[in-house]
Amino acid sequence: MADKPLLIRMHPEDNVRVVANDHGLPEGTVVPNGPTLRERVPLGHKVAMRDLAVGDAVRRYGVVIGYAAEPLPAGAWVNEHRLRLPDAPGTDDLPMSTSVSDIGPPLEGATFEGYRNADGSVGTRNLLAISTTVQCVSGVVDHAVRRIREELLPRFPNVDGILSLDHVYGCGVAIEARDAVIPIRTLRNIAANPNFGGEVMTVSLGCEKLQPDRLFPEIDPGLLRLQDQTGFEGMVRGIMENAEAHLDKLNQRCRETCPASALVVGMQCGGSDALSGITANPALGVASDMLVRAGATLMFSENTEVRDGIAQLTARAATPQIAADLIRELTWYDDYLARSDVDRAANTTPGNKAGGLSNIVEKAMGSIAKSGLAPISGVIAPGERAVEKGLNYLATPASDFICGTLQLAAGANVHVFTTGRGTPYSLEALPTIKVATNSGLARRWHDLIDIDAGPVATVEATLQEMGALEGYIADELNIREVEYSSDEAAYIELVAKPNFPLLGKRLGKQMKAFQQAINAMDADAIAALQATGSVTLLGETFDLEEIQVLQQAREGTNTVSN
């Protein structure tokens, strides 16, 4: 039987709806209380709910996302080829702190297990990070890091890991240029991230423009200069000896109970689709609001993907000055595009469009949804640290790794990343929680996705229920120890399940009896099936296509089942 049509409208004024059926909807589908589809419409794509003439406004989220470039009769597929992009909104006469919401009373008692630092910040990991002043040293440092992991790290069980803060800056650049301050303060503030425990260790070459005292003017950089060492082995040995002293200090740290107000959460989306603004991002917005109420610091970012919603953001600013700061950062972005002779239309990727996002306006409305309803309490320039509690806007490019790196520099100790098309992106320096916008992606990437927000689209979960990923964040950070084991049997058991599409046709009314027999197969019977490729039950012989063998987590473990 065909799926019941699921089409989602985000606002009463919308004249399009988004298809939420996993496989899209075929031509001829009758929309309940709506038109008949004139062509196949894929998952995440829009359907015109009434006739639209050339030039008519197309509305989603209650805003104009484009104008019909051709006649669009009711039931037509609305995509990027059939829309004209609206002009970018201006930056004059914007609402300034006119819509500041009360998101509710403070939430008390939420905690997680973290590492307290001398500066008052709290880490969610206990890592040694090696800063570098120039790209020339990266190869030597990477080799040394591999040896440290193999030879030293096992002696320091309370240290979660070691990483090198590589970059391509430091020499061959105009170090006195006006904007050089941005990469320099970014490198400085990354080294000060709470997950690195205040243990600054730096490797320099010696002759580079970015000298250690310029990178770290106010603190001891824990310096090792390669040009002072004797040969390659001397360089590696020097790095390892320096690292050992820092590891010894970090190893003395232990997790302790910390308030949720010490969380600094970076929020980001990448590989977005049209469901991003329906499921994962609004659910993250609910979680964000709860964490703001608990006193935490939240950051959303990506100049490209909020610019078309500038009026929403300035209205939500806690003060007119914060609204002015938002305008300053987004005007810088406008000027950057003008200097490069490009416009914002270039942002939307082929994958975004395949996922139903017609243009940057539609993408921006969905991106902003992850910021929830809280007032915007601060604006952070790129490379700067977050200083305000509550919801902050961090001005970054849209590139996943650049945005994530700048959130790391701003002090993020946990990262939440939503995706619809899928990307294996993560950051080594802090926990990265991946949220899928649709269940199809969550199933395909079961070992990469932490949370499936797809049930919101299929009305199997509410945004409030899915927003409990706020609790997932706390659970994720309560991990005290990770134990590695090759004893799979201690954590996994095998279970047999009937392949209903195949066996239903073959067994008919006998299916129930055989289902019980298959489900009752013990470990020996399953092992025999896997070894021989067949098994006989109740006089019938079945093969491995007809009986599926699955791995299931043993009760009382935190293993994930497939």
Side-chain angles (χ1 to χ4, degrees):
M1 187 177 77
D3 288 343
K4 177 182 177 182
L6 293 173
L7 292 96
I8 296 174
R9 181 181 67 173
M10 297 299 293
H11 190 278
E13 295 181 8
D14 291 356
N15 52 21
V16 294
R17 295 189 183 184
V18 174
V19 172
N21 297 77
D22 268 355
H23 305 292
L25 291 173
E27 177 184 356
T29 298
V30 178
V31 177
N33 302 313
T36 298
L37 298 195
R38 295 173 174 267
E39 55 201 309
R40 180 184 177 275
V41 181
L43 168 68
H45 285 251
K46 296 175 289 297
V47 175
M49 298 305 291
R50 63 173 180 82
D51 294 340
L52 297 169
V54 174
D56 280 355
V58 176
R59 292 181 178 274
R60 186 175 172 221
Y61 299 103
V63 304
V64 176
I65 64 167
Y67 298 94
E70 61 185 70
L72 296 172
W77 176 13
V78 180
N79 57 43
E80 71 275 13
H81 304 295
R82 296 172 173 176
L83 287 183
R84 177 172 60 81
L85 181 68
D87 293 335
T91 55
D92 297 327
D93 301 320
L94 290 168
M96 307 287 278
S97 191
T98 57
S99 182
V100 179
S101 299
D102 179 0
I103 60 171
L107 294 177
E108 305 289 347
T111 63
F112 69 101
E113 300 299 309
Y115 296 94
R116 294 188 182 275
N117 298 316
D119 65 358
S121 65
V122 176
T124 60
R125 294 291 184 263
N126 189 28
L127 299 165
L128 174 61
I130 301 179
S131 295
T132 60
T133 58
V134 66
Q135 69 268 30
C136 309
V137 306
S138 294
V140 178
V141 174
D142 286 345
H143 178 80
V145 165
R146 286 195 295 272
R147 287 192 54 185
I148 292 167
R149 286 191 183 122
E150 294 170 2
E151 299 173 30
L152 296 182
L153 201 56
R155 292 166 38 201
F156 302 97
N158 290 340
V159 181
D160 295 322
I162 178 172
L163 65 155
S164 172
L165 302 177
D166 294 329
H167 58 88
V168 293
Y169 198 67
C171 211
V173 294
I175 203 78
E176 302 296 341
R178 181 183 60 183
D179 289 338
V181 63
I182 297 174
I184 294 173
R185 74 189 181 204
T186 299
L187 294 172
R188 180 183 305 133
N189 284 328
I190 288 174
N193 184 275
N195 286 354
F196 304 149
E199 288 299 312
V200 179
M201 175 179 168
T202 309
V203 176
S204 76
L205 181 60
C207 58
E208 63 272 24
K209 288 184 176 180
L210 182 57
Q211 288 291 303
D213 59 355
R214 182 164 190 167
L215 181 57
F216 299 112
E218 299 177 358
I219 63 172
D220 177 5
L223 178 65
L224 182 119
R225 185 181 292 108
L226 294 190
Q227 288 177 346
D228 293 343
Q229 310 305 308
T230 303
F232 179 79
E233 281 302 321
M235 296 176 189
V236 173
R237 185 170 59 252
I239 294 172
M240 294 181 69
E241 289 173 355
N242 196 331
E244 186 170 9
H246 291 284
L247 289 169
D248 186 60
K249 292 180 183 178
L250 290 172
N251 196 54
Q252 297 172 34
R253 292 154 51 83
C254 296
R255 289 188 184 272
E256 53 187 294
T257 301
C258 303
S261 57
L263 288 173
V264 184
V265 182
M267 303 182 290
Q268 189 184 354
C269 51
S272 299
D273 64 4
L275 293 177
S276 295
I278 295 173
T279 62
N281 286 350
L284 181 51
V286 172
S288 172
D289 284 344
M290 287 194 288
L291 286 165
V292 168
R293 290 171 59 196
T297 302
L298 281 291
M299 294 180 282
F300 72 111
S301 303
E302 301 174 88
N303 292 341
T304 327
E305 298 181 15
V306 304
R307 172 61 179 83
D308 276 87
I310 187 170
Q312 295 180 31
L313 303 186
T314 57
R316 287 174 56 193
T319 67
Q321 181 57 55
I322 293 171
D325 292 342
L326 282 162
I327 294 171
R328 179 198 69 224
E329 294 296 338
L330 295 178
T331 299
W332 182 95
Y333 168 68
D334 289 348
D335 294 342
Y336 168 78
L337 291 182
R339 289 196 304 271
S340 305
D341 198 28
V342 296
D343 65 38
R344 73 202 203 285
N347 171 270
T348 319
T349 69
N352 295 151
K353 294 172 183 176
L357 291 171
S358 295
N359 57 38
I360 187 56
V361 183
E362 184 177 13
K363 187 177 180 181
M365 296 304 111
S367 177
I368 290 171
K370 63 180 174 286
S371 67
L373 300 174
I376 299 171
S377 60
V379 176
I380 309 166
E384 293 283 15
R385 292 291 297 271
V387 295
E388 300 292 339
K389 292 286 189 180
L391 179 68
N392 288 258
Y393 178 70
L394 170 59
T396 77
S399 165
D400 294 346
F401 280 99
I402 297 175
C403 174
T405 298
L406 289 169
Q407 290 187 346
L408 188 69
N413 54 22
V414 65
H415 198 43
V416 184
F417 187 92
T418 69
T419 184
R421 304 298 292 172
T423 167
Y425 159 91
S426 66
L427 293 175
E428 187 178 6
L430 72 173
T432 302
I433 297 170
K434 302 288 279 293
V435 186
T437 72
N438 62 87
S439 297
L441 174 64
R443 287 192 295 268
R444 291 195 309 276
W445 284 20
H446 57 88
D447 53 354
L448 289 171
I449 298 297
D450 298 296
I451 298 172
D452 174 16
V456 173
T458 54
V459 204
E460 298 171 82
T462 67
L463 283 174
Q464 286 68 31
E465 290 168 340
M466 195 56 62
L469 67 89
E470 173 262 351
Y472 181 93
I473 294 171
D475 290 343
E476 173 77 6
L477 303 180
N478 278 340
I479 296 173
R480 292 175 180 268
E481 180 180 1
V482 178
E483 179 181 345
Y484 296 94
S485 174
S486 59
D487 183 10
E488 184 176 276
Y491 299 92
I492 295 292
E493 60 183 348
L494 300 180
V495 294
K497 299 291 182 184
N499 186 332
F500 284 100
L502 290 179
L503 293 183
K505 297 177 183 178
R506 172 181 165 184
L507 299 174
K509 294 180 180 179
Q510 302 178 73
M511 184 66 219
K512 185 173 182 180
F514 281 96
Q515 177 185 359
Q516 293 174 346
I518 292 169
N519 289 344
M521 289 175 63
D522 60 19
D524 291 338
I526 293 173
L529 169 62
Q530 290 183 309
T532 64
S534 65
V535 66
T536 300
L537 299 171
L538 304 181
E540 294 280 348
T541 300
F542 303 97
D543 60 28
L544 279 167
E545 288 190 8
E546 295 170 311
I547 296 180
Q548 300 173 316
V549 177
L550 304 177
Q551 294 178 318
Q552 177 174 286
R554 289 193 181 276
E555 187 175 352
T557 73
N558 288 323
T559 312
V560 177
S561 303
N562 71 354

